[in-house]
Every structure is written in C-alpha cells, then in structure tokens.
Amino acid sequence: AGPEPADVVVLDAGGRLVKRLAGGSAGDGAVVWNGRDEDGRRVAPGVYFVALRSARGEVSSKFVLLRPE
C-alpha cells in the first residue's frame, strides 16, 4: 500500500479537539505540540490524549501536561 490520509490530534479529557498537529498522509515522522490550542492560547495543565486517526482506525495515548511552554 502507500500513504493514506491521517490526522494527529490532541484531545482534552472529554474528547474535544484541542489542537490538530498534523493532517494529510500517514508516514514516518514526528510532531511536536507546544501546549497551545487551535487559537494559539496556552492550555491548562491536565490530562490530554494524542490520537492518530486514519481510515484503518484510531490509536491514542494518554499523557499529563504539567506545564505548558
């Protein structure tokens, strides 16, 4: 197969979109989140999820943001 459409997003504990980090084709690479939401505001410390979503499904991981940059 080849690259497929995928998104990498940060979600809050309630599952709401906080920040879209990457969109387009899935592949090797890395993304960095600066602790800001879609409007550029710093988010509060707390529990968040990062999710990779594609046509094949979704994989997510929980993390704790202690102090935004």
Side-chain angles (χ1 to χ4, degrees):
E4 62 182 68
D7 290 313
V8 177
V9 296
V10 175
L11 308 168
D12 68 14
R16 292 175 294 273
L17 177 68
V18 173
K19 179 73 175 177
R20 184 175 311 280
L21 300 177
S25 297
D28 294 336
V31 294
V32 176
W33 181 43
N34 62 3
R36 295 183 180 269
D37 66 13
E38 287 287 290
D39 296 321
R41 297 178 299 236
R42 287 185 183 189
V43 301
V47 175
Y48 292 89
F49 294 85
V50 62
L52 170 65
R53 297 173 171 169
S54 74
R56 293 182 184 197
E58 180 176 321
V59 176
S60 64
S61 182
K62 178 171 67 171
F63 67 95
V64 177
L65 179 66
L66 298 176
R67 183 180 55 144
E69 290 188 23

